[in-house]
Amino acid sequence: MTTAEPATRSSPYQHYVYAYPHKTAYRRLPDRPPLKALWAAEPKDALSLYLHIPFCEVRCGFCNLFTRIGAPDGLTGAYLDALERQATTVRDALASDDVRFATAAFGGGTPTFLTAAELDRLCDIAEHRMGADLRAVPLSVEASPATATADRLAVLAGRGTTRLSLGVQSFVDSEARAAVRPQRRADVEAALARIRDTALPVLNIDLIYGIDGQTERTWRHSLDAALAWRPEELYLYPLYVRPLTGLGRRGPGPGPDAVGDPAWDEQRLRLYRAGRDHLLAHGYTQQSMRMFRRTDAPPQGTDDYACQTDGMIGLGCGARSYTAGLHYSFDYAVDMHQIRGIIDDYVATDASGFAHAEVGHVMRAEEARRRHLLQSLLQAEGLRLDDYRARFGGAPADDFGPELERFADRGWLTDADPAALRLTPEGLAHSDAIGPELFSPAVRAAMAAYERK
């Protein structure tokens, strides 16, 4: 089964929708449109900037992100050289003195895989080549416990980082091993202490439920261990087993894209509800199925589910960029050998090679409406009907009546606010079923035809 095919039963865990369309719907662009033409008519006064670092010290068993394990001598420096060439070319393509960035993020991979000096250079690229004022906008950076060292954290704090997201996944060592994430709780706690000593405004901790052997007791143990650090944000992720990942190759157990395993579905739903209720009882508000924010936490720009608007510039070979008419990126892979080849090709690209979009998906009007509905609806605050009407000239029910009726019949939509389309608590719990149900037939077909690599 591919990620685009519907399950044979109504599983609540079909696809994690963090962006639409998924990269597996992207294809080679035969016309290779020049970036100058793509961005000529785009608003440039509130852009988002994302820099992708495709390196990790270890690749977790569940990970299907674009990253490789380690880096031979000189590769990170060569990668930053290429990133700087790309940034220079992209900034020239924007061809405007009025470019302004409203948010910035470093992701991966693990950006803190870079040394402190390399992180400093990464910030220089964002500031001096792209023109982003990192101290004036929300800047989010992803990190791992092993790489959250004092010198790296000092660089990030000094350059204006407002949010650090730490991938912990479990505070139980045996569960971390089961997820193929070799780490010790003592090292995780030491990293958290260093982060708190650095006094970054927002700490996010990622946790995963549905790990083999995990129980409600051990899940509560991880939640309480995270809560002891008073993180401003917590993300609770259901475990997925995807093709070409470490867990996907292991077997037996839930297989690749194990959609429709009733026992595993029930375990994950049970743990999700327990985690949600525990965080709500401890002073957190739910922002989406995955995201919980401490009630007194400082605000941080746009949440990751709320990227309905266009104007995203992604730098690095795992990054994607969004204009109103085209989403584009570089080639995508999960297999480690394929990823290494793509990174090598990126490093070898000269400045002129970054002047065109090579891989992407054309965003027609109907897809733009789907994207806005999907990514708004998957937030706890839902979709404001007047916002949709102002943007698209109609009501969501006019465009997506049958889908919305099905969601309402299942008890996933609430009519408590006539001015908004909002999910019920049970609807939020089924976000990973609602999202894929809103995929267009064309996107489903493209995802189903994608050749995994």
Side-chain angles (χ1 to χ4, degrees), residues 243-317:
L244 305 181
T245 62
L247 290 178
R249 290 190 175 101
R250 265 189 173 185
D257 290 322
V259 175
D261 180 330
W264 197 28
D265 284 349
E266 177 54 35
Q267 180 207 20
R268 286 180 288 179
L269 265 179
R270 185 174 64 253
L271 294 176
Y272 161 78
R273 290 173 176 140
R276 174 198 63 194
D277 295 348
H278 196 59
L279 295 186
L280 294 178
H282 281 76
Y284 287 76
T285 57
Q286 186 167 17
Q287 307 295 309
S288 68
M289 173 184 164
R290 286 164 171 76
M291 183 185 179
F292 296 80
R293 178 178 291 138
R294 212 177 71 205
T295 305
D296 60 348
Q300 277 293 292
T302 305
D303 296 336
D304 64 345
Y305 274 95
C307 50
Q308 306 95 335
T309 55
D310 306 305
M312 164 77 81
I313 292 179
L315 302 178
C317 56

Side-chain angles (χ1 to χ4, degrees), residues 125-164:
I125 292 171
E127 291 196 336
H128 304 323
R129 296 301 181 189
M130 291 304 299
D133 186 351
L134 298 182
R135 293 173 181 83
V137 302
L139 170 60
S140 180
V141 180
E142 297 172 10
S144 67
T147 60
T149 57
D151 58 340
R152 292 176 170 102
L153 293 172
V155 168
L156 295 177
R159 299 303 293 261
T161 301
T162 55
R163 177 181 182 272
L164 191 88

Side-chain angles (χ1 to χ4, degrees), residues 309-392:
T309 55
D310 306 305
M312 164 77 81
I313 292 179
L315 302 178
C317 56
R320 59 179 99 198
S321 299
Y322 304 144
T323 69
L326 182 72
H327 290 190
Y328 64 94
S329 183
F330 295 91
D331 202 5
Y332 171 71
V334 176
D335 177 76
M336 191 61 65
H337 177 76
Q338 297 282 347
I339 289 174
R340 286 197 294 264
I342 294 170
I343 293 173
D344 290 344
D345 289 344
Y346 175 83
V347 166
T349 301
D350 61 20
S352 64
F354 291 123
H356 299 263
E358 303 286 349
V359 177
H361 185 90
V362 174
M363 290 298 290
R364 308 197 186 282
E366 188 264 351
E367 293 289 21
R369 291 194 295 271
R370 283 186 182 275
R371 179 182 183 228
H372 184 85
L373 171 66
L374 190 156
Q375 295 193 281
S376 298
L377 192 60
L378 296 185
Q379 298 175 84
E381 65 181 21
L383 169 65
R384 303 300 301 180
L385 299 181
D386 55 355
D387 181 38
Y388 188 92
R389 188 173 294 106
R391 195 179 291 253
F392 301 111

Side-chain angles (χ1 to χ4, degrees), residues 2-4 15 21-22 24-25 27 439 442-451:
T2 73
T3 55
H15 206 296
H22 190 268
T24 53
R27 293 295 183 270
F439 291 0
V443 165
R444 284 185 181 275
M447 293 173 68
Y450 172 75
E451 185 178 344

Side-chain angles (χ1 to χ4, degrees), residues 234-253:
L234 276 159
Y235 271 72
L236 308 185
Y237 289 93
L239 179 66
Y240 275 92
V241 176
R242 294 305 196 195
L244 305 181
T245 62
L247 290 178
R249 290 190 175 101
R250 265 189 173 185

